[in-house]
Amino acid sequence: MAQPGAEDRKPRSDEARSAFQPPGRGEGESATTSEFAVPQGLGVSPVETGAETTSEFAVPQGLEVPAQATGPVGSAFSPPSTYSAGYAPPAFTPPSGIPAVPLTGDAPWQDRMRAMLRMSVTERPAPETVQKTDGPAPAVPRVLDLTLRIGELLLAGGEGAEDVEAAMFAVCRSYGLDRCEPTVTFTLLAISYQPSLVEDPVSASRTVRRRGTDYTRLAAVFQLVDDLSDPEAAISLEEAYRRLAEIRRNRHPYPGWALTGASGLLAGAASALVGGDLVVFVAAALGAMLGDRLAWLCAGRGLPEFYQFTVAAMPPAAIGVALTVAQVDVKASAVITGGLFALLPGRALVAGVQDGLTGFYITASARLLEVMYFFVGIVVGVLVVLYFGVKLGAQLDPDAALNPAERPVVQIVASMLLSLTFAVLLQQERSTVLWVTLNGGVAWSVYGALHYPGGISPVASTAVAAGLVGLFGQLLSRYRFASALPYTTAAIGPLLPGSATYFGLLSIAQNHVDKGLVSLANAASLAMAIAIGVNLGSEISRLFLRVGFAGRRKAAKRTRGF
């Protein structure tokens, strides 16, 4: 008689043999036929009853992880292993091949970083040695914080999202963090770093709450990134923080009265482009300066930029309507058009289209939405004045600007003055004002030659002229190792669709809605042609033209003692 529980105490190997025992064999014969059964003679180590490590980030058995110089092993807060001067990441060829842009020190750091960012993190080659310094390696969180602060200044200054990511990636690589992933949106900067698959990742983020137009500060930040990415420079983290603090404390290069005067000269020059005379020039300048002061007053009271644009658009329109009501023999439409040139957000439009063309659709949508709000604010301000002007009997002709006077010399001089004053409003360095002034004159000359004698459509002429602006701006930026924005943004000022915008609004105010919408659609087409042309010119310069001044630049830096 079997004892109770005997079957429970039977070994599992006996159960397996009995369960899969083929017919015709006795129990004394061993015949293991299950593919899951353990073969005879194979020792199986006992299974531990403790907790099993099943994480894919765990260190495999038999793999030795080298200890870091400081900090715990496997911590993301320890110094990067690639920071040691005796170790450099091995170079390899990714499966998709090396990109067309050379990843060597002869190419500008923007091209090298952009080419690597467009590849996945597992396929990025490392043909160059990362930055080395004599001091101890900095902690990873401090490097990420410096990277975010630099990216914040660049994004707030108007740089495109891809250029900001390239700069952030360059800063991280300069301190040995080559496995990082920066992310840029319209108001949020984030970056994550994971030393390897078996180490803990660390992430940091920063919000951009305020934006300011100061290209002098933008150029200084760009120079800092350029120095950090230079393999011959040894800039410690403390030195980088000190320079960044000095950049933040720098005063604007131009005082407030100079900015107000520049806005007036810009409006006067724009009125001369569309056929205005000296009286129109003065009237447009007075209206733009009055609008600028009212916008500063609204900004001091904390009003959003939408209302600032609305208020700033009213004085030029009011002066133009007043001259018409007073029956002064002037071209009032040129006065209003000149005032609109000083308000159109060309900088934000170019940045938004550029982000969309480079694949940053969220940032591009946010930038274009911002442009739309600014444009609606301008529309509201001008429409209110035009509506009351029409009610007062102002004889405003929507077809007056369809045949502007062709004055090549006056228009070229006016376009150069417009670009110069636009550069002052953007707070550019004085050394870049002359270059952007010449670039703006070339842009208008190309547009005028294609449109007036050549008979080419305004959209196509604008696109070609904007493409040359982007091409020359990119070449100048590469020659001077600086950002391309100071050389392109102000130069597109003469090409902005101020007259098409005004006459579209005038038609709407006179209840010709269909005609007004057609004119506004033409203005939008011109704006898109400007943005696409600038981006295309920049891409052409990156792909087909090489400006190799890296050797001369390094020699000059050694001469100065760097």
Side-chain angles (χ1 to χ4, degrees):
M1 179 176 181
Q3 297 180 0
E7 295 182 358
D8 298 336
R9 292 194 300 269
K10 183 180 294 184
R12 295 184 59 86
S13 59
D14 295 341
E15 295 179 2
R17 285 196 299 267
S18 61
F20 297 94
Q21 183 74 27
R25 291 183 180 266
E27 292 190 4
E29 302 179 12
S30 61
T32 303
T33 59
S34 172
E35 59 180 333
F36 299 102
V38 180
Q40 292 185 0
L42 178 63
V44 181
S45 58
V47 180
E48 298 181 0
T49 58
E52 297 185 15
T53 304
T54 58
S55 173
E56 59 179 320
F57 299 100
V59 181
Q61 294 183 2
L63 176 63
E64 296 182 359
V65 180
Q68 306 286 347
T70 58
V73 176
S75 173
F77 296 91
S78 58
S81 58
T82 58
Y83 203 84
S84 173
Y87 172 76
F92 68 94
T93 303
S96 58
I98 296 293
V101 178
L103 300 177
T104 61
D106 296 335
W109 64 265
Q110 302 98 308
D111 292 347
R112 289 181 283 134
M113 299 301 108
R114 185 180 293 108
M116 297 187 70
L117 280 174
R118 290 176 179 179
M119 296 188 298
S120 62
V121 67
T122 58
E123 296 182 356
R124 290 174 184 166
E128 57 191 38
T129 306
V130 295
Q131 177 72 30
K132 308 297 191 304
T133 61
D134 298 333
V140 172
R142 294 199 65 197
V143 176
L144 298 185
D145 178 71
L146 175 67
T147 303
L148 289 174
R149 291 178 183 272
I150 290 177
E152 177 190 9
L153 289 181
L154 291 175
L155 186 62
E159 278 283 3
E162 188 178 33
D163 295 328
V164 175
E165 283 196 0
M168 294 172 65
F169 191 68
V171 174
C172 287
R173 282 184 63 86
S174 66
Y175 290 104
L177 277 63
D178 53 348
R179 293 181 60 87
C180 62
E181 283 292 340
T183 304
V184 176
T185 59
F186 186 60
T187 57
L188 181 65
L189 296 168
I191 188 168
S192 61
Y193 169 71
Q194 187 174 8
S196 65
L197 190 62
V198 297
E199 297 182 71
D200 300 331
V202 59
S203 301
S205 62
R206 194 173 183 88
T207 303
V208 180
R209 302 189 182 276
R210 296 188 61 184
R211 300 176 183 273
T213 304
D214 189 347
Y215 279 7
T216 300
R217 178 181 296 175
L218 182 68
V221 178
F222 203 91
Q223 183 63 45
L224 174 60
V225 178
D226 189 46
D227 292 341
L228 288 174
S229 60
D230 186 3
E232 294 191 0
I235 301 177
S236 63
L237 195 65
E238 288 72 19
E239 175 67 14
Y241 268 110
R242 184 191 64 80
R243 290 181 56 177
L244 192 62
E246 290 180 354
I247 293 172
R248 286 181 175 274
R249 289 195 299 264
N250 281 346
R251 297 176 60 87
H252 297 307
Y254 307 103
W257 61 267
L259 299 180
T260 301
S263 64
L265 291 177
L266 190 153
S271 65
L273 280 178
V274 293
D277 54 10
L278 182 60
V279 177
V280 172
F281 184 96
V282 175
L286 291 176
M289 288 189 290
L290 181 58
D292 181 77
R293 286 293 91 192
L294 291 177
W296 277 99
L297 182 63
C298 294
R301 296 295 185 271
L303 289 178
E305 287 184 296
F306 175 86
Y307 301 105
Q308 297 176 28
F309 275 82
T310 302
V311 172
M314 289 182 175
I319 291 179
V321 171
L323 292 175
T324 304
V325 173
Q327 297 182 353
V328 180
D329 189 15
V330 295
K331 206 168 186 178
S333 59
V335 177
I336 304 176
T337 300
L340 290 178
F341 264 87
L343 297 176
L344 292 177
R347 174 181 60 88
L349 174 66
V350 172
V353 175
Q354 180 180 355
D355 288 342
L357 294 176
T358 52
F360 294 83
Y361 301 113
I362 297 178
T363 307
S365 301
R367 288 187 189 271
L368 295 178
L369 186 62
E370 181 188 42
V371 171
M372 187 191 71
Y373 272 103
F374 291 162
F375 188 76
V376 170
I378 297 172
V379 167
V380 171
V382 175
L383 272 181
V384 169
V385 176
L386 291 181
Y387 178 79
F388 285 104
V390 171
K391 292 298 182 182
L392 292 175
Q395 300 297 323
L396 299 172
D397 186 9
D399 300 326
L402 296 179
N403 298 306
E406 297 182 15
R407 301 174 296 175
V409 177
V410 174
Q411 289 177 331
I412 291 175
V413 173
S415 65
M416 296 177 67
L417 178 61
L418 193 154
S419 299
L420 187 148
T421 53
F422 200 177
V424 173
L425 289 175
L426 293 174
Q427 301 281 1
Q428 291 189 195
E429 291 180 301
R430 292 179 173 87
S431 60
T432 64
V433 171
L434 177 61
W435 293 106
V436 75
T437 301
L438 296 176
N439 201 7
V442 171
W444 180 262
S445 300
V446 172
Y447 170 80
L450 293 176
H451 178 54
Y452 295 115
I456 301 177
S457 66
V459 176
S461 303
T462 301
V464 174
L468 290 179
V469 168
L471 177 62
F472 293 157
Q474 193 66 228
L475 292 178
L476 288 172
S477 66
R478 287 166 179 264
Y479 177 77
R480 298 172 64 92
F481 293 94
S483 173
L485 285 182
Y487 300 100
T488 57
T489 304
I492 65 173
L495 304 176
L496 292 176
S499 57
T501 302
Y502 161 66
F503 286 103
L505 299 180
L506 179 59
S507 298
I508 294 176
Q510 294 178 345
N511 292 326
H512 302 298
V513 180
D514 294 340
K515 188 176 181 180
L517 293 179
V518 170
S519 184
L520 291 179
N522 184 31
S525 301
L526 292 173
M528 292 295 294
I530 292 173
I532 295 175
V534 170
N535 180 262
L536 181 61
S538 300
E539 292 296 333
I540 289 176
S541 66
R542 294 192 188 105
L543 291 178
F544 301 106
L545 300 179
R546 294 187 62 183
V547 184
F549 297 96
R552 189 182 70 178
R553 173 176 177 270
K554 294 175 182 178
K557 294 184 73 173
R558 287 194 294 268
T559 304
R560 295 196 301 266
F562 284 86

